[in-house]
Amino acid sequence: MKCEMAVRAPPGQQLIVTFESLDIAPGYSGCADFLSLIDGDLQEQTPVPGVAKKLCGTEAPAPVITSGRAVTLRFDSNTIEEGQGFTAVITPFHQGECTRDEYRCDNDRCIDRRLMCDDHDNCGDGSDKCWLSVTAVVVIVIITIIVFAILVLVAVIYLYKDTLKKTL
């Protein structure tokens, strides 16, 4: 089985491929199943610099930067052994001045501001991750409301008992 997917960034931008997980069964004699990253369109057949020609196993590579505006992911499977596959986030970016709709990463890349705090490393250096995700904020707000409601209920019960004692 061969599966290919090409991703193209808008003009003037490059792509960063960040692997969140990699679990491709290596097979008995090396990479029987593997993932290849091709810098550019499939016709160019240029491996991405600094990345193994065949990715397999469970060790995800560091974030990968394309030289141009396209990357092709090619998955080849020749065995019946299965891993969990891989999870990758592909983010377009550019260097230079960021617009107000963009976020400047610590590594001076500009990414779409909507990608901040989405629990993915879109910058490739972790600078767009927030110490509190949206989910964490919602959980904190819910817990705060519950604790406040309990405190109010305890206060009401205390005042009600106090009022009953005075009337008896």
Side-chain angles (χ1 to χ4, degrees):
M1 174 181 78
K2 291 181 192 263
C3 181
E4 299 169 345
M5 179 179 79
V7 179
R8 197 177 272 282
Q13 296 195 11
Q14 292 172 263
L15 294 169
I16 181 167
V17 182
T18 307
F19 285 90
E20 295 183 339
S21 67
L22 181 71
D23 182 13
I24 300 174
Y28 297 112
S29 59
C31 292
D33 290 354
F34 60 90
L35 174 68
S36 298
L37 294 179
I38 299 163
D39 197 1
D41 294 326
L42 190 57
Q43 297 82 4
E44 295 174 26
Q45 297 292 317
T46 306
V48 175
V51 179
K53 201 170 189 179
K54 295 180 177 181
L55 294 172
C56 67
T58 57
E59 191 173 324
V64 175
I65 307 295
T66 61
S67 63
R69 61 183 277 224
V71 67
T72 301
L73 288 80
R74 171 193 253 161
F75 179 71
D76 285 87
S77 179
N78 301 317
T79 65
I80 56 173
E81 291 184 46
E82 292 183 14
Q84 296 296 312
F86 65 93
T87 305
V89 176
I90 303 174
T91 307
F93 75 92
H94 68 88
Q95 306 279 124
E97 290 297 316
C98 297
T99 67
R100 64 185 175 137
D101 295 332
E102 295 175 325
Y103 170 75
R104 177 171 298 283
C105 305
D106 288 349
N107 55 21
D108 289 330
R109 295 182 185 129
C110 299
I111 63 168
D112 190 304
R113 185 168 292 283
R114 294 173 293 187
L115 299 176
M116 284 180 53
C117 303
D118 66 354
D119 293 330
H120 299 290
D121 183 8
N122 302 99
C123 288
D125 64 0
S127 62
D128 67 306
K129 289 189 171 187
C130 298
W131 63 278
L132 278 180
S133 67
V134 173
T135 305
V137 170
V138 169
V139 168
I140 289 170
V141 167
I142 290 171
I143 290 171
T144 303
I145 291 170
I146 291 170
V147 168
F148 181 74
I150 290 171
L151 290 174
V152 167
L153 183 62
V154 168
V156 167
I157 291 171
Y158 177 78
L159 291 173
Y160 180 72
K161 282 185 176 181
D162 192 47
T163 304
L164 279 176
K165 283 182 186 176
K166 289 180 182 177
T167 57
L168 293 174

